[in-house]
Amino acid sequence: MNVAVVVFPGSNCDRDVVKAIKYATGDEAALVWHGETELPGETDLVVLPGGFSYGDYLRCGAMAHTAPIMADVKRHADRGGLVLGICNGFQVLTESKMLPGALLVNRDLAFICRPIEISVERDDTAFTSGYEKGQVITIPIAHYEGRYHLPENELELLEERGQVAFRYSGGNPNGALNDIAGIYNEGGNVLGMMPHPERYSDRAVGGDDGLPVWLSIKRWIERTGA
């Protein structure tokens, strides 16, 4: 599969994503600078990685969503292409309105960095077919602004449409509404998640519960050509 990992000033998980994809699938991902205006040809998957894009000034992701490359990321998503935003990448996706809601400062006003349990809400998507619905997995989080928020009427609609991808299980670390740790767009081709699957894709570095994310995406692309 052809993967583009967008690099913003302050991204710090971009190379971790590249290594995780290589380890999981054998595919080489391309790093794409934020100032570019076009993704590489025949891109299947775009990853917006974690970190502190533009120093997280103003709001997390508020400056990154205006980067030149983001226009083509949106066009890619509008065509049905896959987009995965991890942590800061999730914040960029909400700022760009590619996903609904916002990521607010954690309930306890503290940076949280530790492995945490989350439940898989769907097993029929491009990103999660390698899991079982309801499966509880352990993946690290590392954020200060990860408290998912959405107005009540929009939250009800999100739930009705089955757009919740992951929920915190065994304790909500940041006060996110409905224990939400990750969501899809309406089309299911854009996923934002606060946990870092790239950090738990190799048992040698602590765990491999994130590995099925990459394997699910590769199988989906091979099966659908998306």
Side-chain angles (χ1 to χ4, degrees), residues 1 43-45 76 80-82 126 217 220-226:
M1 62 179 177
T43 293
D44 299 307
L45 168 69
H76 173 77
L82 301 179
I217 294 169
W220 181 274
I221 291 169
E222 290 177 344
R223 187 169 68 248
T224 67

Side-chain angles (χ1 to χ4, degrees), residues 201-219:
S201 291
D202 183 347
R203 193 166 294 177
V205 293
D208 60 359
D209 279 0
L211 199 60
V213 170
W214 315 115
L215 297 175
S216 299
I217 294 169
K218 185 174 177 68
R219 281 197 293 268

